[in-house]
Amino acid sequence: MNAIVVLAVILFALMLWIGGKNGLRSFLSLFLNFGVIFFTLAFLLAPAVNPVVVTFIASALIGCISLFFINEVNRKTIIAFVSTMITITVLLVFIFFVSDTLMIQGFGEEETEAISGYSLLIGIDFLKISVSVIILSTIGAIMDVAISIASSMHEVLKRNPSISKIELFASGMGIGRDILGTDTNTLFFAFFGGYLALLIWFKDLSYSIGEIINSKIFSSELMLILCAGTGIALVIPISSWINAHYLMKTKKSS
């Protein structure tokens, strides 16, 4: 049996055993999200289509699958979805500005040998492609923080119904601060784990620290980490405020 199939079966068994129905839906969501990304890539290669618009729509679909399909439609998932999409919108503007300023779109010197036999005249705006890559790379971490804060703040209000709006918002911010460090470090180590071969290559070619930092491929990945960290930091106050406002409003009306 293929090793990938064996790993998939093990993952399915563990998710079903630990998560039950939610675990089954989580496993199925992997394939649904893969389908969304697959069709997104097909549209990104079309010169007449704006990659950023396609990525935003794909982010909304991924959010629906990851939040509503797995955890069903409820107050927590709706608030987490709204918080995620607001953060993505703000982050899009920020990433556009940073990418245009740094001019790191396209291919670096280290990739010229691999693409030397291909034509670069493909009619695609690489700035928009780089923005799309960063958004798709950060959507998972942003959703994770948004749903974590939403679930925690719902529990805080449930355990302490007399809490004020300001105190509830402060609770959300406190929860977010604890998540911020671990999620940012997760992205950081994921980068070094995925690009360890590149760092070894830099070492073998005796790159100086300055040459590594100024390398386009290294800078683009480092910017991805920083933008992802910015997205995680942004979603904390956004999600905390929306949760506090909505929960207090529904509490008064009930």
Side-chain angles (χ1 to χ4, degrees):
M1 187 180 290
N2 190 293
I4 294 178
V5 176
V6 173
L7 290 173
V9 171
I10 293 172
L11 176 63
F12 173 74
L14 287 173
M15 293 180 76
L16 186 62
W17 175 49
I18 296 172
K21 290 182 179 179
N22 275 4
L24 176 61
R25 286 196 289 263
S26 299
F27 184 79
L28 294 175
S29 71
L30 295 175
F31 296 94
L32 294 174
N33 283 329
F34 176 79
V36 171
I37 292 175
F38 179 81
F39 284 107
T40 301
L41 292 175
F43 279 108
L44 289 179
L45 296 176
V49 177
N50 190 326
V52 177
V53 175
V54 174
T55 303
F56 186 83
I57 296 172
S59 299
L61 291 174
I62 291 170
C64 290
I65 293 170
S66 301
L67 294 172
F68 301 140
F69 178 71
I70 297 175
N71 299 304
E72 301 180 348
V73 180
N74 52 56
R75 294 195 302 177
K76 290 181 285 188
T77 54
I78 291 173
I79 294 174
F81 177 77
V82 172
S83 303
T84 299
M85 297 314 297
I86 292 174
T87 305
I88 289 294
T89 303
V90 175
L91 197 60
L92 271 173
V93 178
F94 175 75
I95 293 172
F96 242 117
F97 173 76
V98 173
S99 298
D100 188 46
T101 303
L102 294 180
M103 296 185 294
I104 58 172
Q105 62 272 13
F107 300 99
E109 295 178 359
E110 297 78 14
E111 300 166 298
T112 52
E113 185 177 346
I115 63 173
S116 59
Y118 299 96
S119 173
L120 299 180
L121 302 176
I122 56 178
I124 295 176
D125 189 340
F126 277 95
L127 173 61
K128 294 178 180 178
I129 292 293
S130 64
V131 172
S132 300
V133 169
I134 294 172
I135 290 297
L136 288 176
S137 301
T138 58
I139 180 70
I142 292 172
M143 280 191 302
D144 179 46
V145 175
I147 191 64
S148 298
I149 292 176
S151 297
S152 301
M153 290 181 70
H154 275 71
E155 275 303 309
V156 169
L157 182 63
K158 183 180 178 181
R159 304 296 178 186
N160 185 11
S162 61
I163 192 171
S164 67
K165 183 177 179 179
I166 295 175
E167 290 173 330
L168 186 59
F169 174 77
S171 298
M173 291 295 292
I175 295 163
R177 290 189 192 100
D178 293 334
I179 299 171
L180 179 63
T182 54
D183 272 30
T184 305
N185 276 288
T186 299
L187 293 169
F188 178 77
F189 288 115
F191 160 75
F192 277 100
Y195 281 84
L196 186 59
L198 175 66
L199 297 175
I200 294 173
W201 192 71
F202 283 151
K203 174 73 168 55
D204 287 342
L205 293 180
S206 301
Y207 271 49
S208 66
I209 297 297
E211 287 173 327
I212 293 174
I213 293 174
N214 286 285
S215 170
K216 181 177 284 191
I217 188 171
F218 181 85
S219 299
S220 62
E221 294 304 322
L222 189 60
M223 192 192 81
L224 191 152
I225 296 174
L226 297 176
C227 288
T230 302
I232 293 171
L234 280 174
V235 76
I236 292 171
I238 291 172
S239 182
S240 298
W241 186 87
I242 293 175
N243 274 284
H245 179 75
Y246 178 80
L247 291 174
M248 288 293 107
K249 185 177 180 180
T250 53
K251 177 186 172 183
K252 289 178 182 178
S253 61
S254 61

